[in-house]
């Protein structure tokens, strides 16, 4: 019988380049920020994190592993409970994630609405800065059960109208804020692959299963 030759699988050079860039960002701890996806259903939460990761690539910054929000419990606070952390060394250096003693209490509907309205008013005052990492949202994040903020991040008490990132150790970024201004198309290095390809690669990076999930 004639010998059978198997061709090696095609190599996506652009995907390899993007994976290397994401790994470098995770290792560099360059201007780190924490993305907050909200307390929606799990699939919606994960999809909302694509925009902050796009921001990280475009701005050459390190994005920390997103918190699980309402899905956190006593042993699980971030996506790293199921998937590989995005910046493990940087997170350890910054004391993240903060310990979560147990299921996070949920605020009442009335209280949550008041917090969200105040967050919107603050974002409106800050205008363009609302779609960039900021330091003025720690209290709202904790009140809404979106994450537990490490105590060491509060280098100073932000002003109520703060719109910059000069008063805390690690700023946060609301995924929903990016939707209002849109996000630029893929960087020039990946422009020929198109938006669908770019988003697929970012989701694949977010959802790399850890050892426990693989088992």
């Amino acid at each position: 019988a004639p010998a059978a030759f198997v061709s090696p699988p095609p190599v996506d050079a652009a995907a390899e380049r993007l994976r290397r860039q994401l790994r470098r960002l995770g290792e560099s701890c360059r201007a780190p920020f924490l993305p907050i996806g909200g307390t929606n259903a799990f699939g919606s939460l994960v999809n909302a994190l694509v925009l902050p990761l796009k921001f990280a690539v475009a701005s050459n910054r390190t994005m920390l592993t997103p918190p699980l929000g309402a899905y956190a419990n006593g042993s699980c606070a971030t996506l790293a409970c199921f998937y590989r952390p995005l910046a493990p060394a940087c997170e350890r250096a910054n004391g993240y994630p903060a310990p979560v003693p147990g299921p996070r209490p949920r605020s009442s509907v009335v209280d949550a609405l008041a917090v969200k309205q105040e967050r919107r008013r603050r974002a409106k005052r800050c205008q363009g800065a609302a779609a960039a990492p900021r330091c003025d949202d720690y209290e709202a994040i904790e009140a809404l059960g979106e994450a537990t903020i490490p105590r060491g991040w509060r280098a100073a008490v932000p002003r109520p109208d703060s719109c910059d990132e000069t008063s805390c150790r690690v700023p946060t970024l609301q995924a929903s804020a990016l939707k209002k201004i849109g996000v630029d198309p893929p960087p020039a290095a990946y422009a020929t692959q198109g938006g669908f390809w770019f988003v697929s690669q970012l989701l694949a990076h977010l959802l790399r299963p850890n050892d426990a999930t693989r088992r």
Side-chain angles (χ1 to χ4, degrees):
F5 295 94
V6 178
S7 299
V11 175
D12 188 336
E16 285 294 331
R17 190 165 61 250
L18 178 57
R19 282 194 285 269
R20 286 195 298 270
Q21 180 180 359
L22 290 166
R23 284 196 298 268
R24 283 196 301 270
L25 286 177
E27 294 166 358
S28 67
C29 206
R30 185 180 187 279
F33 69 89
L34 179 69
I36 303 296
T39 54
N40 299 320
F42 188 76
S44 177
L45 183 150
V46 170
N47 279 290
L49 296 168
V50 169
L51 293 176
L53 194 52
K54 279 187 176 182
F55 174 88
V57 172
S59 58
N60 199 33
R61 298 182 63 160
T62 298
M63 176 168 134
L64 303 187
T65 304
L68 283 175
Y71 299 96
N73 57 41
S75 61
C76 186
T78 75
L79 282 182
C81 293
F82 310 107
Y83 307 104
R84 295 170 62 184
L86 301 185
C90 185
E91 291 162 11
R92 286 194 297 270
N94 282 286
Y96 174 80
V100 179
R104 189 174 285 116
R106 300 294 298 274
S107 54
S108 71
V109 174
V110 174
D111 291 341
L113 180 60
V115 171
K116 290 180 179 180
Q117 288 175 338
E118 175 56 30
R119 174 184 273 173
R120 293 192 192 102
R121 284 194 291 269
R122 186 176 297 171
K124 188 175 181 180
R125 288 198 300 270
C126 294
Q127 297 180 350
R134 313 180 356 251
C135 286
D136 64 351
D137 210 27
Y138 285 166
E139 291 185 7
I141 287 168
E142 293 194 318
L144 294 171
E146 295 171 340
T148 300
I149 300 296
R151 292 174 61 86
W153 288 15
R154 299 175 187 268
V157 178
R159 301 186 310 276
D161 60 346
S162 171
C163 300
D164 56 37
E165 43 184 281
T166 60
S167 55
C168 69
R169 185 171 177 179
V170 178
T172 61
L173 187 152
Q174 286 296 125
S176 58
L178 290 171
K179 296 179 182 179
K180 299 176 182 178
I181 64 167
V183 178
D184 292 336
Y190 312 110
T192 57
Q193 276 70 34
F196 182 84
W197 176 93
F198 190 54
V199 169
S200 298
Q201 300 299 322
L202 297 182
L203 276 172
H205 184 70
L206 284 168
L207 301 180
R208 297 166 297 157
N210 61 22
D211 292 342
T213 299
R214 286 180 181 277
R215 290 195 294 269

